[in-house]
Amino acid sequence: MTNNTNISPEDKKLLKKVFRRSFTLECSFNYEKMQALGFAYSMIPVINKYYKNKEEKAEALKRHMALFNTTPHVSSFIMGMAASMEKQNAEKGNVDTSSINAVKVGLMGPMAGVGDSFFWGTFRIIAAGIGVQLAQQGSALAPLMFLLLFNIPHIIVRYFGTFLGFNLGAKFLENAYESGTMNKISKSATIVGLMVVGAMTVSMVNFTTPFVVNLGGATVKLQDILNQILPGALPLALTFCCYKQLEKGRKVNVVLVAILIFGIIGKFIGIL
């Protein structure tokens, strides 16, 4: 699926470690950083190989603990590109380290769209359909057939995607820095990331109020007024407050407990 003849034997061995570790991507999934810990764990062999002192290794690990989320089956492609960028940075020192996360953020959305369509929307349905038919016939091979039909293409894509990402990453970096497009890519990825955060705030944060104000015998719903001024104002305000608390160093669990207490008190006094 990809020509990896240009990759040195040492790098091939290293990328195989990244491939194996990529299966742990969702083992520590959480709602703060999502797949970040699994991504950072997968990058440890790369970081240990290319960086020589503890400070550089710590900085690289911290860099890969930024929020990350994509379809696990295609994640190794992004890992391969990140590995190529880390190698370039370690050997030549001419990589803006913020661009590494910018490329990750820029790729995780499109790759998730492709990965979800192929694996969750196509291979899984086909494999499940064949497995169900075999199960209805009383075949003991039904679960095995389901796993094979789904995981054979998955493992092939995951394995070769690691090398493809590494190869494309090296060429991409060389062309991007020579043409001066890396800054544009970083800026574009930042804009896309902010758009995604805004869309997630509106669609995933459900925060409304049933509070009613009586004005001269007329009943006015506060939520209707807020919707006329700025739809989604309350979810935006709640998200911004949480962000400011996290920015000040508050623990995520503390913020979650505070939201829970606020919800209970707000419901009790009738403003939620």
Side-chain angles (χ1 to χ4, degrees), residues 101-268:
N101 275 331
V103 170
K104 286 169 56 180
V105 171
L107 286 175
M108 68 183 188
M111 293 300 293
V114 173
D116 286 350
S117 298
F118 275 97
F119 289 100
W120 296 135
T122 303
F123 293 133
R124 182 174 63 111
I125 303 303
I126 294 173
I130 294 174
V132 168
Q133 287 183 351
L134 290 175
Q136 289 175 338
Q137 296 171 9
S139 175
L141 295 176
L144 178 61
M145 187 59 65
F146 167 74
L147 292 173
L148 288 175
L149 289 175
F150 180 77
N151 283 297
I152 287 176
H154 152 223
I155 293 174
I156 291 174
V157 169
R158 189 187 285 257
Y159 178 80
F160 286 103
T162 314
F163 297 94
L164 179 62
F166 189 85
N167 262 333
L168 290 180
K171 297 175 183 176
F172 166 78
L173 282 173
E174 183 178 352
N175 295 332
Y177 279 103
E178 286 180 357
S179 62
T181 58
M182 181 55 75
N183 290 334
K184 296 179 182 179
I185 293 173
S186 298
K187 184 176 181 180
S188 300
T190 301
I191 295 172
V192 171
L194 292 173
M195 291 173 63
V196 170
V197 170
M200 289 174 64
T201 299
V202 173
S203 61
M204 300 179 67
V205 181
N206 185 13
F207 183 23
T208 59
T209 176
F211 189 71
V212 176
V213 180
N214 292 316
L215 298 174
T219 301
V220 179
K221 295 182 178 180
L222 179 60
Q223 186 63 52
D224 291 341
I225 297 176
L226 292 174
N227 289 339
Q228 292 176 11
I229 298 173
L230 178 63
L234 290 179
L236 177 62
L238 179 62
T239 302
F240 183 74
C241 288
C242 292
Y243 169 76
K244 294 301 292 183
Q245 294 303 311
L246 294 174
E247 192 178 39
K248 291 179 181 178
R250 298 279 195 277
K251 299 294 184 181
V252 174
N253 289 339
V254 173
V255 175
L256 290 175
V257 171
I259 293 174
L260 179 63
I261 294 173
F262 172 70
I264 293 172
I265 296 175
K267 186 68 174 179
F268 181 76

Side-chain angles (χ1 to χ4, degrees), residues 21-22 24-30 32-44 61-69 79 104:
R21 286 178 175 236
S22 71
T24 67
L25 189 67
E26 291 198 299
C27 290
S28 58
F29 185 93
N30 60 81
E32 180 185 4
K33 299 293 183 66
M34 295 190 174
Q35 300 167 342
L37 187 57
F39 195 102
Y41 175 74
S42 302
M43 296 299 295
I44 287 176
L61 278 173
K62 184 178 179 180
R63 179 160 58 245
H64 290 294
M65 279 301 296
L67 185 145
F68 182 82
N69 189 40
M79 292 176 183
K104 286 169 56 180

Side-chain angles (χ1 to χ4, degrees), residues 70-85:
T70 194
T71 308
H73 316 83
V74 297
S75 61
S76 61
F77 175 81
I78 303 176
M79 292 176 183
M81 289 203 71
S84 180
M85 297 180 77

